[in-house]
Each structure stands twice: as C-alpha cells, then as structure tokens.
Amino acid sequence: MTWALSAVLSLSLATAAAAEELRAGFSLDPSSLDPHFHNFSPNNAVAQHFFDGLTNFDRQNQPRPGLAESWRPIDDTTWEFKLRPGVRFHDGAPLTVEDIAFSLARAPAVPNSPSSFAMFVAGMTVEKVDDLTLRIITAAPNPLVPNNLANVMIVRRAKAEGAGTPQFNSGDALVGTGPYRFVSFTPGSQLVMVRNEAYWGGVQPYTRVTVSFIRNATARTAALLSESVDFIDQPPTADIGRLRADPRFTVTQGVTARTMYLHLDQFRDETPFVTGVTGRNPLRDARVRRAISMAINRQAIVDRVMEGVAEPAAQIMPPFAFGASRTLQPVPFDPEGARRLLAEAGYPDGFGITLHGTNDRYVNDARIAQAIAQMLTRVGIRTEVDTMPGNVFFTQATTGGPNRTPRYSLIQLGFASGTGENGSALRSLLGTFDPARAMGAANRGRYSNPVVDDLVLEALRTVDDTRRAALLERATNIAFGEDVGAIALHHQHGVWAARKPYRVEPRSYEGTLVMDVIRAP
C-alpha cells in the first residue's frame, strides 16, 4: 500500500511538472519567423524552437547530430549524411530527403533578405542515395559543411513552397520538426508556443511557453522582479549584483562567441579621422597599433564597464573555439610602453583620432568606447568618440559600390562566428578584401597579409581537423600577435536571470533557447 501511494504521488508530481507553463523575457525580437529570411541572432534563436538542421550546435557551438544522426566525408568534396528514421513534421508528415533539398535551395534565395544564408550553402548540391541517406556535393573541398548546415533550418516543402514572412508569421508555413509548435505571434511583442509531443529529441518539460520581447533592459529586470516572467536574458550589467544577492533568483553566465574588437585603417596613406599629422597614416605602422593595444586596460573595462560579464581577449574567437590560438594572451596594460612605441614610430607628441561605433548594438558599447578614448588620450592619442544607433552605423561605415571603402579610421565592433570555428572569422574580418575570393567581407580596416590569406584559404579546404586547426592557429598568431591587424578587447558573456526554481544553462551560442531552462528540484 505504501508503495502504491508513493507511486501515485510520484506520478502526480511528474504530471504537474509535465504540464508546467513557462514565461520568458527576451531582449531582442525576430524580424521574421521565416527561418531563411534573415541571418540574425534573434531570428536564428527563435527558429531553433520550431525547426532542426541536419546538424545542430551544442553548448560550445560545435556541430552535433540533428536530423542527421551521423555524417562522414566520402572524399574532399562529398559528405554523406544518415537521417534519423521516423522523424515527422508538426503536422505528422514524414521528413524526406526532398524536404532537405528544398530547404538548402530555398535558404539562399529568399527575396529581400537583409542578411542571406547563402554563405552556408554556397556551392552545395544534394544527391539522394535512399530514403535515409543523402550526399552533399561541394564545388570545392569544404571541411565546414557540418558546421554550416547547423545554421540552415529544414522546412516542410509542401508548406513553405511559395511562402514568405506573412505565411510564417501567421503559422501557416511554420511547420518544422523542432521541440515546439506554433500558437501565435505578435511582432515586437509576444510569441506563444506549445511543446511538440512527438519530438524526436524527447518531450520538453514545458507544455506552453510565452515569450515576451522586452527590449528595454530596465523593463526586463522589472518584469522579472514582479514575477511577470520566469526568466530574462541579458539583464543590465548594473542589476546583476542585486539579482545575485537576492535569494529569489539565480543568475548564470558563460563566455559567448561574441568578441568586441577594434578595426584600424591600414590601407590609406592619409586617413580621414586622424588629426595632428600630415601626409601619413599612423595606423599603418604596427608599432602604433601595438601602442593602442597596450594603452587599453582590458581588465578595467571588464570589471568597471562590463561589471564582470566579459573576459579580456587576445583574438577574435574564445580560446576554446576550433582553430583558436593556444598561446596568445591578452596584451598587458602598459601605458609607459605605449608612449615609448609611439615615440619610436615618430609620434612623440601623439596625434588626434575619432573612435566610431554603435550605442545600441552591443552590451555597454558606448560606455566601452568612452573608456577606451580616455585610456588612449592618457598616452597621447587624443581621442574623441562618435557613436550612433546600429542601423545608422552599419549603413554609414562603408561607402557603396563594389569596393565598399570604409569611412572611418578607428572603429569599435563586435563579432560572433556563425560556424563556431576560427576559419570563417579570419576569412571575413582579416582576409585581404577580395569579393572574387569571398575574402575580407567585414574587413573594415583593410588589413592585408598574403601569408595569412594563404593559411586561411588552405585551412578552409583542408578536411583533416588536426592540420586545419594548426593552419588557423598560425594565421591567428600572425594576424593578432605579430601584425596587430585588429585589436581584440573582450569576449562577451551571456547572462540570464531566473526566479527560483528555474535556472538557465549557459551556452556560447549568442541567443536564448527555452530548451536551456531547467527547473531545479
């Protein structure tokens, strides 16, 4: 009798937990629920609740099995994927190779995309082997196929063909294989979803989830304090200490793939926002770039501006990322050494410069810029700050036309890799600007070193992981260590606050997933 009562009680508690609802407060809202419309962190995070890729990312942003339970390279240009048997879409239709081929073809072709997914599927074709086997053929060797495909969600062809943002936002086309199913969406306000009871990856603990999009950071904290939501992402850094001290809440944080860094104009003989010198660009001298790096007290920025939710950086990717340098360390704060290098480079009296950046895109971005300006001014580089909203900055940062010439001399930006490894970061940020080779697309300093280019391009066609990692590490040591091609500042932390008994498990992916919310016993 005792056993029976215990069993009934356990079943009742399990049922109650299984029927639980969850309320979330997200800092950013998606521009569309179409998973192929906009390669944008808030969109991509929301899409992962409804859809899966052939591969998915783990907490360290490395590919793990998704709709494909395994994969292997057949040769340098052929990857074979084995699909999970029995996977079904939300409407009960079985997943097919045709759905996958359609999704990979649709992703780069959605009209009017603000930021396309084309880079993840470039040069790929799909070949069906049988109902559970497909091959991805690439135009050239591509070791990042498993990484890239984690960014491309698989949609149901019968629902998505001919559909756009209106059909996805209404739920008509929003039919995936993911852990949650669509209920309703009010752009800029709220998203409601229910769990997929037939999810191949296991049924989620929350039957219903309501996500409120609360862009104002103070309002997010207020919603948590009033228990209007169960958890929030990115609480204001000024509130984190108070939340940690309050026994009603748990605060978790972890390093993300988002790194704040500086680009410096290295391609013009005279640069437009430097004053006090004539006929030369001091930023082209590696000694000046190193002096700027030495003048920045990274730990002070982490402690005082970021309130401890970051860590000093030596390179564009966190040290745990594939292909990151294992030897580079953040440049020590050394203002006297910076002054000596400036004098050695021919600038004993320094010069003037303007630091441009955003004021609403990254955590404390304007405050970081002001702190850097004060530090540079103290060593003789008299620095003014001009920050602006991200939608203005990114429009103004480069000129139009095929050359997309950078407008500014010194800029502060953030970067997060979409592949979880170092090759795509180096290619985009520090590769010599060359659209024909898809190099340097985000290289707003126009740093250029053919040795780095060769190392990166060789790595990006090398399937052997050990050799590829060594090539990328060497390129990183040159670009960030020897050349100071760009200046890494800090790796940003993701931060989540939840009312007990909830807790959010950190991940390096820059986005918030309900699947990371656990209910502690």
Side-chain angles (χ1 to χ4, degrees), residues 14 36 71 94 129 152 157 210 213 267 291 367 378 410 442 490 503 516 518:
H36 302 148
W71 57 87
V129 178
V152 183
R157 178 174 185 170
T210 300
F213 301 109
F267 76 106
R367 291 177 58 202
R378 290 190 191 111
L410 178 66
H490 59 259
R503 184 178 186 275
D516 291 335
I518 62 173

Side-chain angles (χ1 to χ4, degrees), residues 358-381:
T358 61
N359 57 21
D360 67 351
R361 175 62 184 89
Y362 311 106
V363 177
N364 297 332
D365 44 8
R367 291 177 58 202
I368 296 166
Q370 291 291 347
I372 290 172
Q374 294 172 20
M375 294 169 184
L376 295 185
T377 297
R378 290 190 191 111
V379 301
I381 302 174

Side-chain angles (χ1 to χ4, degrees), residues 246-321:
D246 192 322
R248 295 176 297 164
F249 304 106
T250 60
V251 177
T252 53
Q253 70 183 74
V255 63
T256 72
R258 173 71 63 188
T259 301
M260 297 301 293
Y261 70 100
L262 301 177
H263 263 322
L264 311 93
D265 180 357
Q266 296 165 62
F267 76 106
R268 286 176 280 213
D269 291 331
E270 291 189 71
T271 189
F273 289 93
V274 165
T275 61
V277 296
T278 304
R280 54 180 174 162
N281 174 4
L283 302 177
R284 298 189 73 175
D285 192 318
R287 293 170 296 185
V288 172
R289 300 195 298 273
R290 191 171 302 280
I292 290 172
S293 187
M294 294 166 65
I296 297 171
N297 189 337
R298 291 165 175 79
Q299 192 62 55
I301 291 174
V302 166
D303 293 341
R304 300 170 196 167
V305 179
M306 294 299 293
E307 309 271 355
V309 294
E311 55 193 64
Q315 54 191 308
I316 204 62
M317 294 293 289
F320 60 75

